[in-house]
Amino acid sequence: MRSETIARNYAETLFELGERDGNTERYADLLDAVAAAIEQTPRVQAVLMSPKVPKSEKARILAGALQETPREFVLFLQAMIKRGRQQLLREVATEYLGLLDQKLDRLRAGVTLARTPDERLKRAIQDALSRQLGKQVIPAFTVDPEILGG
């Protein structure tokens, strides 16, 4: 089975859990934060991805680090670890965000500008896109001075 399909299945399962207990948006934030922590912390990544560290130890470490999070969320992550799927956390987070965006009628859009926008310009672009598309738009801004032509 492809990793996209597996990640989608995990995301759908967590989404259903979130819907059931009213934590849908919180789970999105938590999942994104855990994936980012693993990506940006080589030591955490080394432990969670290492085949030398027992899965039970990985689950224990994760539970200890996430003591303030809902129990169902921690159990979900531990189930991923038990099945050796922790390397898919970023993909699961992306799929989960897609489900949440669909539920909330949101759309993510990439916006490339020639210069760094101030907050006022960002808001104006977001509002214009939202009006045009009939959905709440969440823009991701990038700067590329090379887009100015002659």
Side-chain angles (χ1 to χ4, degrees):
M1 195 179 303
R2 292 179 20 175
S3 65
E4 291 172 357
T5 304
I6 295 167
R8 179 69 176 207
N9 289 339
Y10 276 102
E12 287 173 349
T13 299
L14 183 62
F15 194 82
E16 287 177 28
L17 288 171
E19 288 284 276
R20 205 174 319 148
D21 63 16
N23 281 323
T24 312
E25 291 185 60
R26 185 168 183 211
Y27 286 177
D29 294 339
L30 289 169
L31 192 57
D32 189 52
V34 169
I38 292 169
E39 291 167 348
Q40 296 170 6
T41 314
R43 199 164 168 205
V44 172
Q45 189 177 67
V47 170
L48 288 180
M49 301 306 169
S50 173
K52 294 180 181 180
V53 178
K55 291 176 182 178
S56 60
E57 182 65 11
K58 293 175 188 179
R60 187 192 65 72
I61 291 168
L62 203 55
L66 299 172
Q67 290 178 5
E68 302 298 316
T69 61
R71 184 176 188 279
E72 292 77 16
F73 182 80
V74 175
L75 291 173
F76 171 82
L77 292 179
Q78 289 175 325
M80 285 189 71
I81 288 171
K82 180 180 177 184
R83 291 169 181 83
R85 302 292 192 187
Q86 63 272 21
Q87 75 278 8
L88 295 177
L89 271 169
R90 175 49 63 201
E91 289 178 69
V92 173
T94 300
E95 292 289 337
Y96 189 97
L97 268 179
L99 293 170
L100 184 60
D101 288 345
Q102 187 176 12
K103 175 191 176 197
L104 299 176
D105 202 28
R106 297 188 306 203
L107 181 66
R108 295 182 186 271
V111 178
T112 304
L113 301 170
R115 59 182 164 77
T116 304
D118 60 17
E119 288 306 312
R120 188 170 161 217
L121 179 58
K122 286 180 179 181
R123 173 54 68 188
I125 291 170
Q126 181 178 11
D127 291 346
L129 287 171
S130 293
R131 273 192 311 279
Q132 286 290 331
L133 298 172
K135 293 182 179 228
Q136 178 189 1
V137 174
I138 301 171
F141 293 95
T142 57
V143 176
D144 181 3
E146 299 294 316
I147 66 171
L148 290 177

